């Protein structure tokens, strides 16, 4: 006699198997009742990786990714960092869609304890993530000479689906300031995801304008390689010479300048604008020379120096170590270019 599906399930639930009259070969096909579905975890979005997560205090306001600053106590923005007084702190929230995907997080701080009258500083650091200390009254090495990179591992079980909290504080007995430059949180298998996102921001706005003692200075060198400049040196048709190195994530530069017939003097600039377009930029169609011939290369866009002072020569280096040097004249330029790890090659261009 045929059984209804409901009768079969009832028998299976009662005895754990079909009645003896059922064909033995089909015992394995008996379907047990499905267990109740697990209750959804609030905030969990299964299988989704966390977004680049960072708070970078090199700018004002700070650059934030997947981070909300929820509290700042006894602290203030100072140049390229957040300056935290004794007993002060900064608090963040950031989102983790699925801790199982993150597996293990890497929390990285760039920080130092400012020096005390030329001696080592003292600003013990405490870092608390979701209520658990990652560092408790930790003394930052090097006494304030240079920012230190401090790295902490966070297992997935210590993260929560949804909003996670972090608190960074200086000890109540601190005798100098805690300077916090950057905080990043990277998931396992996505090494320096946050740092790469910050670099992409800089690449997306490559036109830099600075205020200086000689007026507005524009720096824009684009070979289409998506690189971030580190050093630039140039001369213009007035005979003035300049050489600068960027600092504080291009928020400022420091170098020297020399006017025609004069002595070299210090040269400083502070960023006033990042942009995507330099209307004054000159475009060159270029070629690279090697193996005894010239080969078509990508266009070069240039806008470097003081307004209304055309370039006569230029040299630059990016953060990867690529570098170039060119002399301009006759409607174009001639020079060399060198990619990191390779020998120099010829480089020439004509106004587009």
């Amino acid at each position: 006699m045929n059984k209804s599906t409901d009768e079969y399930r009832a028998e299976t639930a009662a005895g754990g198997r079909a009645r003896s009259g059922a064909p033995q070969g089909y015992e394995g096909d008996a379907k047990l009742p499905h267990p109740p579905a697990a209750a959804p975890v609030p905030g969990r979005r299964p299988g989704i990786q966390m977004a680049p997560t960072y708070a970078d205090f090199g700018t004002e306001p700070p650059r934030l990714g997947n981070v909300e600053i929820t509290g700042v106590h006894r602290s203030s923005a100072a140049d390229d960092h957040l300056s935290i007084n004794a007993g002060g702190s900064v608090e963040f929230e950031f989102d983790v869609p699925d801790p199982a995907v993150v597996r293990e997080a890497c929390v990285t701080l760039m920080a130092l304890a400012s020096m005390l009258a030329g001696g080592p500083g003292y600003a013990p650091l405490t870092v608390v993530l979701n209520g658990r200390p990652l560092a408790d009254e930790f003394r930052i090495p090097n006494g304030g000479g240079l920012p230190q990179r401090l790295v902490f591992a966070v297992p997935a079980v210590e993260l929560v689906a949804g909003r996670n909290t972090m608190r960074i504080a200086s000890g109540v007995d601190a005798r100098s300031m805690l300077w916090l430059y950057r905080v990043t949180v990277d998931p396992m298998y996505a090494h320096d995801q946050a740092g790469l996102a910050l670099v992409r921001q800089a690449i997306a706005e490559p036109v830099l304008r600075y205020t200086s003692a000689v007026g507005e200075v524009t720096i824009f060198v684009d070979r289409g390689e998506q690189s971030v400049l580190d050093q630039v040196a140039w001369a213009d048709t007035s005979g003035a010479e300049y050489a600068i190195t960027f600092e504080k994530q291009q928020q400022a530069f420091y170098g020297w300048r020399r006017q025609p017939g004069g002595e070299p003097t210090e040269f400083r600039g502070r960023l006033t604008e990042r942009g995507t377009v330099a209307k004054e930029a000159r475009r060159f169609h270029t070629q690279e020379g090697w193996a005894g011939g010239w080969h078509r290369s990508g266009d070069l866009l240039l806008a470097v120096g003081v307004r209304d002072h055309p370039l006569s020569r230029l040299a630059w280096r990016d953060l990867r170590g690529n570098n170039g040097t060119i002399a301009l004249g006759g409607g174009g330029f001639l020079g060399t270019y060198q990619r990191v790890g390779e020998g120099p090659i010829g480089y020439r261009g004509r106004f587009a």
Side-chain angles (χ1 to χ4, degrees):
M1 180 177 68
N2 294 331
K3 299 182 179 69
S4 70
T5 302
D6 289 341
E7 288 173 333
Y8 187 79
R9 287 179 176 169
E11 291 174 359
T12 304
R17 57 183 291 165
R19 289 195 297 190
S20 60
Q24 294 299 310
Y26 290 89
E27 286 186 21
D29 293 339
K31 295 182 179 179
L32 298 177
H34 293 289
V41 177
R44 184 185 293 275
R45 300 191 294 283
I48 299 177
Q49 183 63 278
M50 65 187 294
T53 302
Y54 54 84
D56 182 359
F57 295 97
T59 65
E60 178 56 37
R63 291 190 288 176
L64 304 176
N66 189 35
V67 163
E68 179 185 357
I69 297 177
T70 55
V72 178
H73 309 284
R74 295 180 56 78
S75 307
S76 59
D79 202 10
D80 60 345
H81 60 271
L82 182 70
S83 183
I84 304 177
N85 287 280
S89 63
V90 58
E91 297 167 3
F92 311 91
E93 290 186 353
F94 62 94
D95 181 60
V96 177
D98 186 353
V101 173
V102 173
R103 300 189 67 178
E104 180 174 276
C106 176
V107 175
T108 305
L109 278 63
M110 289 293 293
L112 63 75
S114 64
M115 299 184 73
L116 280 168
Y122 181 72
L125 169 73
T126 295
V127 183
V128 178
L129 177 63
N130 292 333
R132 186 184 82 83
L134 300 182
D136 188 10
E137 298 287 308
F138 175 77
R139 185 160 186 176
I140 300 173
N142 204 35
L146 287 171
Q148 299 296 299
R149 185 173 184 266
L150 311 173
V151 183
F152 307 95
V154 181
V157 294
E158 296 179 3
L159 298 170
V160 299
R163 303 302 282 175
N164 291 252
T165 62
M166 186 187 304
R167 181 174 180 269
I168 298 172
S170 183
V172 295
D173 59 340
R175 297 190 298 274
S176 62
M177 308 294 287
L178 172 62
W179 290 3
L180 181 63
Y181 294 83
R182 180 186 293 184
V183 182
T184 62
V185 184
D186 291 310
M188 188 174 178
Y189 301 130
H191 176 66
D192 201 24
Q193 169 178 275
L196 293 173
L198 286 164
V199 170
R200 285 194 293 270
Q201 285 189 23
I203 293 169
E205 297 178 319
V207 182
L208 309 174
R209 302 191 191 276
Y210 297 85
T211 181
S212 77
V214 296
E216 183 180 87
V217 172
T218 299
I219 306 292
F220 175 49
V221 180
D222 182 10
R223 273 178 41 94
E225 293 179 324
Q226 295 191 327
S227 59
V228 178
L229 292 174
D230 182 38
Q231 292 183 336
V232 182
W234 72 96
D236 61 37
T237 53
S238 74
E241 301 172 277
Y242 305 84
I244 63 172
T245 299
F246 294 102
E247 55 180 339
K248 302 166 186 173
Q249 301 173 58
Q250 297 184 316
Q251 292 297 304
F253 67 69
Y254 179 61
W256 59 266
R257 66 184 177 98
R258 178 164 54 194
Q259 296 300 107
E263 295 294 322
T265 59
E266 284 188 316
F267 188 40
R268 298 179 183 271
R270 180 160 296 279
L271 187 71
T272 57
E273 180 186 347
R274 287 184 181 269
T276 58
V277 177
K279 294 182 179 179
E280 71 273 33
R282 300 298 304 270
R283 180 183 293 273
F284 297 85
H285 296 319
T286 74
Q287 294 179 315
E288 296 179 352
W290 71 87
W294 290 94
H295 310 271
R296 182 75 174 91
S297 184
D299 287 358
L300 172 68
L301 278 77
L302 290 181
V304 174
V306 182
R307 185 185 298 275
D308 299 324
H309 289 69
L311 284 176
S312 61
R313 68 175 184 268
L314 171 68
W316 71 93
R317 187 181 71 189
D318 66 29
L319 287 176
R320 298 172 186 160
N322 303 325
N323 63 89
T325 178
I326 61 175
L328 294 93
F333 70 80
L334 179 66
T336 63
Y337 190 70
Q338 184 176 27
R339 296 176 180 86
V340 63
E342 300 181 7
I345 57 175
Y347 194 38
R348 70 183 185 186
R350 305 294 295 176
F351 284 130

